[in-house]
Amino acid sequence: MLKKCCILAMDQGTTSSRAMVFGLDGSVIAVAQQEFRQIYPHDGWVEHDPADIWKTSLATAQQAFQEAEGKGFSVEAIGITNQRETTLVWDKKTGEPVYNAIVWQDRRTAAECRRLKSDAGAEESVQQKSGLLLDPYFSASKITWILDNVEGARVRADNGELAFGTVDSFLIWHLTGGTQHVTDATNASRTNLFNITTQCWDQELLSLFKVPASMVPEVLDCAAQYGVTAEGILNREIPIMGVAGDQQAAAFGQCCFDKGTIKSTYGTGCFAILNTGSEPLFSKNRLLTTTAFRLGGKPTYALEGSIFIAGAAVQWLRDGLKIVQSAAETEDLAASLKSNNGVYMVPAFTGLGAPYWDPEARASLFGMTRATGKAEIVRATLESICFQTADLLEAMAADGTHPADLRVDGGMVGNDWLVQFLADVLQLPVSRPVIMETTALGAAMLAGLSAGLYGSLSEVAKIWQQDRLFKPAASKAKELTRWRHAVEATRAFARDGMSDEG
Ligand SMILES: Nc1ncnc2c1ncn2[C@@H]1O[C@H](COP(=O)(O)OP(=O)(O)O)[C@@H](O)[C@H]1O
Ligand SMILES: O=P(O)(O)OC[C@H](O)CO
């Protein structure tokens, strides 16, 4: 009997590692998931144990692989997608990491980034070359920190003994038995070291962050041959054929292949990616310019808006305030009110991301009265996520881009009330796809393309199907204005605090 082809996608996220096996029509054949430990050594520091990343990734890949093959399918290729920016440094001979993975959320290098910014022209040069801001979010300052703080690391790096990689690179190193030190163009584009116009590592940026060129991986297209699995990983050699950072993979899984198409993912945080075509569009409004995907050596670019807190605010309602028992409860509570009754939340629990980039801001609630109850607070939380998206789209509009609709995914968009409110705030149609696992699906599509399982992007695009279209109804212009006042007040309060502290 001829076995049906399928693709294994490994999705290494911030809080869990997941493996999914997809049929060529996008159907889900097998899923395995494992959470792992978050390490918070100090305020603002976030680390992962590299062994946890590797073990959970391998175990879930093996489990999903066996399940799919047990059902009579044949895994033809592997796609990898990952939490971006998170930084690992390991010994090229032994594979031994010299330090824990420093996670994208980690702010330990804030002072170093401020110091670099004070050099005339440094920030402009970083933005012009890497498309990013000079911010602790990205990998470069995290590498510098490791080299400057781990005993002996700087000397070993200068001797060419150490390798740097984002999580994709680290996984491929291990999957291929330490033979491949590679990454893809989307992950490279999140390091602050990669010139997105030339699509090469940039010597000036490497020097600025004091990173030896011998540490960085080779950069390949998103659909390319990354090597094959070593003996003992799966029951036979399987080629690794597709790689993209998780937000870019989600945009690919949402089939945002054409200029002007945009997706927004609502998980722990929220990340909007707008395809801007074959030339990089450098934002004048503090959005990021990044590689959406690179195929056949040709990059397609994107503008990105990153919001650090979305579903995390709902988790706070559940686990911190304990005013809901489940995230799903927020839907009925928000819908139980005719309006927000004047209550606004600015969920700046870890500062504000795009377009404000204000690390000092802290979350605030405005407009409460004695009549305010949990429904108002819940509703203000959900509304704030939509208002933040409106801020991103307004910044995109100021950069001259005007998408006609928005594709959404992520754990939060099962909440119909939230998605309808989003459509109302944006005054744009919002589409939710049938397959919501767009991140893993995007990685599988990339692997399928390079394995020749799909002939073209238009063939891939047939996989995307709409579950529901949310049409914009009543405008929320008045509420949006009030939200912006709340953001201003939140930021002013943070500035006051800084001057109080001298
Ligand atoms: N029905 C819902 N309404 C509002 N928020 C939700 C709902 N379901 C899940 N969430 C939120 O979505 C997030 C989980 O989404 P997910 O895409 O799995 O996140 P991640 O991949 O970042 O871990 C959680 O923060 C949770 O609070
Ligand atoms: O792992 P996630 O889904 O929280 O995504 C993290 C992003 O890639 C950070 O830029």
Side-chain angles (χ1 to χ4, degrees), residues 46 52 99 130 255 295:
V46 189
D52 289 346
Y99 191 74
S130 73
C255 299
L295 297 174

Side-chain angles (χ1 to χ4, degrees), residues 342-414:
V343 179
Y344 290 81
M345 175 197 265
V346 180
F349 294 97
T350 54
L352 285 168
Y356 304 104
W357 298 102
D358 189 341
E360 319 296 341
R362 288 296 172 265
S364 331
L365 266 169
F366 292 90
M368 289 188 287
T369 67
R370 287 285 296 273
T372 300
K374 72 175 178 183
E376 279 82 5
I377 295 175
V378 164
R379 181 163 167 149
T381 307
L382 296 186
E383 287 191 356
S384 73
I385 288 145
C386 305
F387 294 141
Q388 290 185 94
T389 311
D391 290 344
L392 294 183
L393 266 83
E394 191 175 276
M396 287 176 176
D399 280 329
T401 58
H402 303 279
D405 56 18
L406 173 70
R407 293 184 170 186
V408 293
D409 53 61
M412 293 193 85
V413 306

Side-chain angles (χ1 to χ4, degrees), residues 15 18 266-269 311-312 314-315 327-328 330-331 382 410-412 414-415:
T15 56
R18 189 144 44 151
Y266 297 86
T268 308
V314 174
Q315 280 165 2
T330 58
E331 179 163 358
L382 296 186
M412 293 193 85
N415 186 321

